[in-house]
Amino acid sequence: MSVFKDEVQPIDDRYIKDYLNKIENFDEKHTEDIFLGADQKLILKSSLSRLKRIQRIVGHGHFALLSFDAAIKTGKAYSSVGPFTKEELAFLEMIFYEDSLLYGFMGDKPLKNLTDTIDEPKAIKIPYTGNYLYKGLPLEMYKKIKKDIGENVILTSGLRSVTKQFMLFLNKAHSNDGNLSLASRSLAPPGYSFHGVGDFDVGQVGFGVSNFTEKFTDTPIYKKLEDLGYIKLRYSKGNFLGVRFEPWHIKVKL
């Protein structure tokens, strides 16, 4: 590809306006969204149901650290879960390894392999949150945020394994008729989430699910984070990665 200035083609303004409209209205269906086929939606439903049964077996906290191989073993070990079928495994592999550009997600992919794991001995559970962080820089950063801002800031989401990201992403797609594009505008597909390598989310105590909306930018906690230089956004407003604005996401890994 040439990088000479006089050969660069300008981006159509209509494309930019259409793109920004999709990101601004991330939770709505758009004309060019990519949907799973009818058979794939059935396999999505059964795969998601199995993942939820595994989460009930291992517990919500530990599920965030559970590798895909461990999830498969859990399915085989518990009759209340049952083993993943060949069709489910093929579907999950397809979702993981298919290029997310096909349905509009353009972010980086820090976890390249379906079998990538969370290094559990290097993880620590954060009291009163139900979430884990990696020891080292992520934990140090969170402790510094707590020290600088006070007890009203809380960890809302920490480490997420490939398995955990699968459940979140597939649940969003299932709730929206198999719309992969819509799901990827608000949740990174499995393998693409930086929660798997150290990033984390914070919010204001007592603010509930609103911590995961733009309303968070109106809170005293966000204003303090911004004033103290903690806001180095992974997904900024108007980004061109196919992802909604995430002001609550603390960028740890470069």
Side-chain angles (χ1 to χ4, degrees), residues 163-191:
T163 307
K164 174 71 172 183
Q165 199 67 24
F166 256 125
M167 196 181 76
L168 294 173
F169 183 75
L170 294 181
N171 192 59
K172 186 71 174 180
H174 175 62
S175 299
N176 290 278
D177 195 32
N179 189 332
L180 297 180
S181 299
L182 185 151
S184 70
R185 286 194 286 269
S186 57
L187 282 162

Side-chain angles (χ1 to χ4, degrees), residues 46 78 83 92 99 105 113 121 128 138 146-147 177 181 194 236:
S46 65
Y78 290 87
L92 294 171
D99 192 339
F105 186 91
N113 300 301
Y128 311 111
K146 291 285 287 185
K147 180 180 178 182
D177 195 32
S181 299
F194 278 81
S236 60

Side-chain angles (χ1 to χ4, degrees), residues 46-107:
S46 65
S47 301
L48 178 61
S49 177
R50 204 174 306 282
L51 288 168
K52 288 182 177 180
R53 295 199 297 274
I54 290 171
Q55 181 176 246
R56 287 195 291 270
I57 290 291
V58 304
H60 282 68
H62 186 67
F63 187 75
L65 306 181
L66 195 72
S67 71
F68 190 68
D69 282 346
I72 290 174
K73 290 179 181 178
T74 302
K76 291 178 178 178
Y78 290 87
S79 59
S80 59
V81 175
F84 286 93
T85 67
K86 290 181 180 179
E87 292 78 12
E88 288 170 351
L89 290 173
F91 171 76
L92 294 171
E93 286 184 16
M94 181 271 291
I95 290 293
F96 187 89
Y97 287 112
E98 188 171 61
D99 192 339
S100 65
L101 283 170
L102 293 173
Y103 46 86
F105 186 91
M106 293 166 274

